[in-house]
Amino acid sequence: MTTFFSRIIDFPRSVIVFLLLPTAFFACFLPRLEKDTDVTNMLPRRNPTVRLADRIEQEFGVRDSLLIGVVENGRQGIYNSDALRFLFRLTKGLEGLPGIEPGSVKGIFTIDTILGTSDGFEVKPLLDEVPVTEEEILAFRRRVARNSMIQGEIVSRDGTGTLILADPESGADLAALYDRIRDLIGSEDRKNPGREVFVAGIPVITGVIGRYVDQDMRRMIPFVAVVIVVMLALLLRSVRGVVLPLFVVGFSVVWTMGAMALLRIPIYPMTTIVPILIMALGCADGIHVTNRYYEAVDEAEEEADRRCIILRTMGEMWRPVVMTSLTTTVGFLSLLTSDMEPIRYLGAFSAFGIVVAMLFSLTFLPASLALLKVPVPRRRPRDRDAGGGRRMAAGMSGILGAAGEVVYVYRYLVVGVNVVVILVSLALLPFLRVDSDPMRYFETGSEIPEANRMINEKFNGTGVLNVVLDGGEPDAFKSPALLGRLDRMQRALEKVDDVGGTISIADYLKLMNRAMHGGKASWDVVPETREEVAQYLLLYSFSGEPADLERVVDDDFRKADLIVRLRTLSSKRIGHVVRTIEDLCRELFGGQGVKTQVGGRAMVTYVTQDILVKGQLSSIALSIFGVFLITVLMFRSFLAGFLNILPITVATIWNFGFMSLARLPLEPTSAVTACIGIGVGIDYAIHFIAKYRYLAANASPAAFPDRVREHVYRRLTRATMMTAGKAILFNAIVVICGFLVLLFSRFPPTRTMGILVSLNMFACFVGALTLLPAAVNTFRPRFCCRVPWEAQVGPKSEQGTSE
């Protein structure tokens, strides 16, 4: 590599221009970055559950609707003329609102009901004009009471609220549409103190999250840049120590985000942290290289040659830089095992950014240093220890050196404490919750969670499961027997926690049967014969729209769609409902020749939970194995691989134990923290062992006149802590502060992720400077503890393990 770095030093301007050209190329694509903020789009389209959800949407016309809930807190609820006039104006306003699909608004003024006549029944609008008199309002109230499909679905069962559904146009700006709806509500509300209006639904969540993504990107990237600049200035105390690492991470972010735009990969809520990750982690190599450069300047003789200083710096640092970058990359690439697209893209492009940062650290940094004058040494060494470092009576190096001696003396106690931490954390793991809920993207008590809560309390719910039943032959669901089983399943489901209500073809036929018999409640049952079913459907086709039945049955009545409304979006609670549905399907339709499938958006959320756990386990295992293999090859020792992964393994176990103790759920954002910690935390261990090995290999016998083995390793530990330990400390501070910037995100899960990653980084840092030196001095492996004059070392007070 000496030739490689010599070429860079000889042609620094050419190297910098060569790097700037692709940077400009990627920068051209940045304006093309797209967003995908649909929280249900976590899985790829090829996933069986996603494909089923898509098929249900096509076959039964399922759409994600906007939900506008109106609650009247007066004594009469919505059954008063003032409330009904407001609802009429709001409905008409929504029908003419840009961004709303024409004909998609469904509310008390647009839906139909089935009414009995002397000839049977007919389908009529529930309301075609605003009721004015008490008699008209009472008649409206009776119509609602006789229609079980309206109760809870459109009008709350207590009569205090009503719901209006509207579908957004394809490609509509959902955030802007949300604002227009709020403006419309404000203009119509007239500030009625007893009236509350809420807007909810998946389109609202998607639109607002998209706005938050833009705000996070605009706010956090400049903020993390400022934090890194301040921390670098405080730690390295030089202009080039700030500017050069900042250029490295800046160019890396441009390459990474430009590559995402070039490949048309959208930004998901989770991947908004990619530039933050690159900026926080990409400066690590720059910190180590710059810190070692200043050490080389201090160690050099007067008027030292700039070329020699750079070659000495890069000659020592290129291996740790490459190895730490590769291990960090492996940690991120392990996320590719996940079936969740945002997690895969987070891993892939973070890994790409880290590799780019490594490329710039090995090329741009030495080229830039070659163009700058050698700085004035900050202090000259007065006496040198075994590693060529300086003894300092005070300051950071002195504190770290003293800490190294304490760790050496109490190394068995350090190992014992870590064993206790592992056992306690493992005992807490069974209490770790796995759950995902789109409402966690918003502050508790904020507008959208409150709207969601209100609609779940007053109506059947905001979540939807679709149970598709395939009878195997045309007209299967004209059979009273199957319809009766379907009805029994609905009644059983409506008793389950978190199920607000259900709708199926059986409900339509029950309503027709009741209308045929004068509206008597005793006839609210499934027709007894196929002939009755056929007759009712024929009558319905005369005055009703056959398309009204499309959402519950296909054209030839072979398949039925049972719509299950949920009062939760929590994947854990959805899972309980799904398992109940599956049990009921086996009980009621087993052996009946009916195939059942549970699908829909809520099912995608539930399946994501299982995929999350399996993907997390495989990603952690793969990342630990990957960094183990790389360090084994790097140091040519299996014990080296074990020692390197020791701190990150303890930190990972502790991380999940802390989540259990703090009752933090394992969800998509928190799930990736372990792999990030493994990929980054391993850097500290590699730099420590590489420095310890370097100091041992270059130790001067003159520094150890007594030649007592214990004194040799004690001073090697101290010297390593004073040099590599300081760089590791600087690196950890910058990385932790960079991740703490996530606390300013609009998304609570992203803030939680910032805390978890920062704690994980701190645990890895502490492990690298306590557990690792304790383990090295306990086992004393030959790959890093052998000094060139080892045969001359006197009697040893302790026997070490060698490899």
Side-chain angles (χ1 to χ4, degrees):
M1 292 295 288
T2 302
T3 303
F4 174 76
F5 291 118
S6 295
R7 294 288 186 184
I8 290 175
I9 296 170
D10 292 338
F11 305 100
R13 292 180 176 82
S14 300
V15 170
I16 293 174
V17 171
F18 181 77
L19 293 171
L20 290 178
L21 289 176
T23 304
F25 170 78
F26 284 117
C28 293
F29 289 92
L30 291 179
R32 303 185 186 182
L33 275 172
E34 301 174 350
K35 300 190 301 288
D36 185 347
T37 55
D38 190 336
V39 293
T40 61
N41 283 351
M42 298 291 285
L43 302 180
R45 309 314 300 178
R46 67 177 182 277
N47 181 275
T49 304
V50 176
R51 292 171 62 184
L52 175 60
D54 291 341
R55 193 167 70 246
I56 291 172
E57 290 181 9
Q58 294 173 2
E59 292 181 355
F60 298 102
V62 176
R63 294 283 303 274
D64 289 324
S65 299
L66 293 156
L67 308 176
I68 299 94
V70 178
V71 176
E72 296 285 345
N73 294 311
R75 186 171 58 86
Q76 294 177 313
I78 66 167
Y79 298 107
N80 68 84
S81 57
D82 180 63
L84 292 171
R85 281 194 295 269
F86 167 73
L87 290 168
F88 181 79
R89 291 194 304 270
L90 181 59
T91 302
K92 294 302 180 182
L94 287 169
E95 289 179 329
L97 201 65
I100 296 292
E101 186 76 29
S104 69
V105 177
K106 296 180 178 63
I108 58 174
F109 287 98
T110 60
I111 62 172
D112 295 330
T113 189
I114 301 174
L115 300 175
T117 65
S118 58
D119 298 325
F121 65 80
E122 63 179 346
V123 181
K124 287 187 173 183
L126 180 65
L127 280 178
D128 50 10
E129 58 184 6
V130 179
V132 177
T133 65
E134 290 295 329
E135 291 77 12
E136 291 174 335
I137 292 175
L138 181 60
F140 164 56
R141 191 168 195 158
R142 287 171 178 167
R143 289 183 180 183
V144 171
R146 291 176 180 176
N147 193 324
S148 59
M149 291 191 296
I150 292 177
Q151 297 174 48
E153 188 75 8
I154 298 296
V155 178
S156 65
R157 290 181 173 83
D158 62 3
T160 61
T162 186
L163 203 59
I164 302 174
L165 291 77
D167 297 338
E169 288 181 333
S170 178
D173 184 335
L174 297 178
L177 178 58
Y178 176 57
D179 289 340
R180 286 195 291 271
I181 293 175
R182 294 173 66 192
D183 291 341
L184 174 65
I185 292 169
S187 66
E188 293 291 348
D189 192 3
R190 310 300 184 194
K191 301 188 182 299
N192 187 318
R195 179 178 298 144
E196 295 179 275
V197 185
F198 302 89
V199 186
I202 293 297
V204 171
I205 296 173
T206 301
V208 175
I209 286 178
R211 177 170 293 165
Y212 285 1
V213 165
D214 291 337
Q215 292 174 355
D216 269 10
M217 297 285 282
R218 287 196 299 267
R219 177 177 10 186
M220 289 197 297
I221 292 178
F223 195 58
V224 75
V226 171
V227 169
I228 289 174
V229 167
V230 172
M231 297 309 302
L232 290 175
L234 292 175
L235 297 174
L236 297 177
R237 297 182 181 180
S238 73
V239 175
R240 72 185 70 187
V242 173
V243 174
L244 295 183
L246 198 61
F247 271 125
V248 168
V249 296
F251 293 149
S252 302
V253 168
V254 170
W255 280 44
T256 304
M257 304 309 289
M260 289 182 68
L262 177 64
L263 298 175
R264 302 186 68 82
I265 303 299
I267 297 176
Y268 296 89
M270 182 182 295
T271 57
T272 56
I273 67 169
V274 167
I276 311 299
L277 287 172
I278 296 170
M279 295 180 75
L281 305 180
C283 65
D285 293 337
I287 291 173
H288 285 284
V289 170
T290 306
N291 184 68
R292 183 66 189 100
Y293 173 77
Y294 279 110
E295 287 180 359
V297 170
D298 290 348
E299 294 164 2
E301 302 298 331
E302 296 289 347
E303 303 298 330
D305 179 59
R306 173 170 51 190
R307 180 188 186 88
C308 293
I309 292 174
I310 297 174
L311 286 177
R312 181 177 181 181
T313 300
M314 301 309 298
E316 180 182 340
M317 294 305 302
W318 77 266
R319 287 185 180 86
V321 166
V322 170
M323 289 301 107
T324 54
S325 297
L326 289 179
T327 51
T328 302
T329 299
V330 166
F332 281 115
L333 289 180
S334 67
L335 297 175
L336 294 178
T337 60
S338 174
D339 280 339
M340 300 173 67
E341 283 194 332
I343 291 181
R344 288 210 309 270
Y345 291 141
L346 173 67
F349 286 99
S350 297
F352 176 75
I354 296 301
V355 171
V356 174
M358 177 191 72
L359 171 67
F360 274 89
S361 296
L362 297 178
T363 55
F364 178 80
L365 285 183
S368 299
L369 292 172
L371 294 174
L372 301 172
K373 292 181 179 180
V374 177
V376 176
R378 292 173 289 189
R379 53 186 176 270
R380 288 291 176 189
R382 288 177 295 181
D383 84 352
R384 298 175 184 268
D385 56 22
R390 287 164 299 284
R391 301 183 181 195
M392 301 177 61
M396 188 67 69
S397 295
I399 295 172
L400 289 170
E405 293 201 12
V406 171
V407 169
Y408 181 87
V409 172
Y410 296 101
R411 55 191 179 277
Y412 300 118
L413 177 61
V414 171
V415 172
V417 168
N418 278 273
V419 170
V420 173
V421 169
I422 291 175
L423 293 177
V424 172
S425 299
L426 289 174
L428 291 171
L429 288 185
F431 302 99
L432 181 63
R433 270 189 314 129
V434 181
D435 194 13
S436 178
D437 190 336
M439 288 300 103
R440 291 201 189 99
Y441 280 92
F442 305 95
E443 296 285 358
T444 302
S446 62
E447 187 173 351
I448 291 178
E450 281 301 296
N452 192 73
R453 180 191 60 79
M454 185 280 295
I455 291 175
N456 285 334
E457 287 181 358
K458 289 287 183 179
F459 304 96
N460 286 346
T462 56
V464 178
L465 280 171
N466 299 89
V467 185
V468 179
L469 303 102
D470 186 345
E473 59 183 8
D475 295 334
F477 281 94
K478 291 181 180 179
S479 163
L482 284 185
L483 291 168
R485 290 177 181 271
L486 180 57
D487 185 53
R488 290 201 298 276
M489 182 174 180
Q490 291 180 247
R491 303 294 79 78
L493 279 175
E494 287 168 1
K495 298 176 182 177
V496 176
D497 289 343
D498 296 317
V499 174
T502 61
I503 294 178
S504 77
I505 181 61
D507 291 301
Y508 279 91
L509 289 166
K510 287 166 61 179
L511 190 59
M512 297 176 198
N513 196 30
R514 181 174 179 174
M516 284 288 290
H517 294 85
K520 296 178 181 178
S522 59
W523 288 95
D524 192 17
V525 294
V526 172
E528 296 181 353
T529 66
R530 276 184 174 269
E531 290 71 19
E532 285 183 300
V533 171
Q535 180 186 3
Y536 291 169
L537 292 173
L538 179 63
L539 285 173
Y540 188 89
S541 67
F542 291 155
S543 56
E545 290 290 337
D548 293 343
L549 303 179
E550 285 181 356
R551 64 174 181 154
V552 292
V553 72
D554 65 358
D555 291 339
D556 59 3
F557 283 77
R558 171 177 171 166
K559 293 181 181 179
D561 177 24
L562 168 58
I563 302 169
V564 182
R565 289 283 184 184
L566 303 176
R567 289 177 170 151
T568 181
L569 297 177
S570 161
S571 60
K572 184 176 182 179
R573 293 163 66 181
I574 291 172
H576 171 68
V577 177
V578 169
R579 288 188 290 273
T580 302
I581 291 173
E582 291 172 343
D583 290 342
L584 287 171
C585 286
R586 284 190 292 270
E587 176 187 338
L588 293 171
F589 295 101
Q592 301 296 315
V594 178
K595 296 180 181 178
T596 59
Q597 289 180 297
V598 185
R601 289 297 192 106
M603 187 65 181
V604 173
T605 303
Y606 166 62
V607 170
T608 300
Q609 171 183 295
D610 286 342
I611 290 176
L612 181 65
V613 175
K614 295 175 184 176
Q616 176 71 0
L617 293 175
S618 60
S619 295
I620 291 174
L622 181 61
S623 58
I624 291 179
F625 175 75
V627 298
F628 172 80
L629 185 61
I630 289 175
T631 51
V632 165
L633 296 174
M634 175 183 177
F635 295 105
R636 300 179 183 179
S637 166
F638 279 100
L639 188 53
F642 168 75
L643 289 173
N644 274 286
I645 67 172
L646 191 57
I648 60 173
T649 302
V650 174
T652 300
I653 296 173
W654 175 85
N655 182 65
F656 287 116
F658 173 80
M659 289 179 63
S660 300
L661 191 63
R663 300 188 62 81
L664 295 174
L666 183 66
E667 53 187 351
T669 49
S670 61
V672 301
T673 57
C675 291
I676 294 174
I678 291 168
V680 180
I682 191 67
D683 296 1
Y684 307 152
I686 290 176
H687 279 292
F688 184 92
I689 290 180
K691 189 66 177 182
Y692 190 98
R693 186 187 194 190
Y694 175 83
L695 294 177
N698 293 276
S700 169
F704 304 95
D706 52 14
R707 308 292 174 87
V708 176
R709 179 181 295 273
E710 187 164 349
H711 292 175
V712 173
Y713 295 119
R714 183 171 181 164
R715 295 184 69 184
L716 282 172
T717 303
R718 176 184 175 88
T720 304
M721 292 287 283
M722 293 174 65
T723 51
K726 183 171 67 174
I728 291 169
L729 173 62
F730 291 174
N731 185 0
I733 290 174
V734 173
V735 170
I736 289 172
C737 289
F739 277 107
L740 287 178
V741 170
L742 297 178
L743 293 178
F744 295 93
S745 171
R746 294 294 303 267
F747 301 116
T750 303
R751 297 201 293 268
T752 301
M753 180 184 181
I755 294 173
L756 290 175
V757 174
S758 298
L759 289 174
N760 200 314
M761 292 298 96
F762 180 76
C764 290
F765 158 73
V766 172
L769 296 189
T770 55
L771 177 59
L772 184 58
V776 166
N777 286 291
T778 298
F779 296 105
R780 291 179 183 165
R782 293 178 62 85
F783 81 90
C784 69
C785 293
R786 182 166 56 182
V787 295
W789 35 271
E790 185 175 9
Q792 304 172 26
V793 176
K796 50 189 177 183
S797 58
E798 300 177 41
Q799 180 66 39
T801 301
S802 64
E803 178 175 320

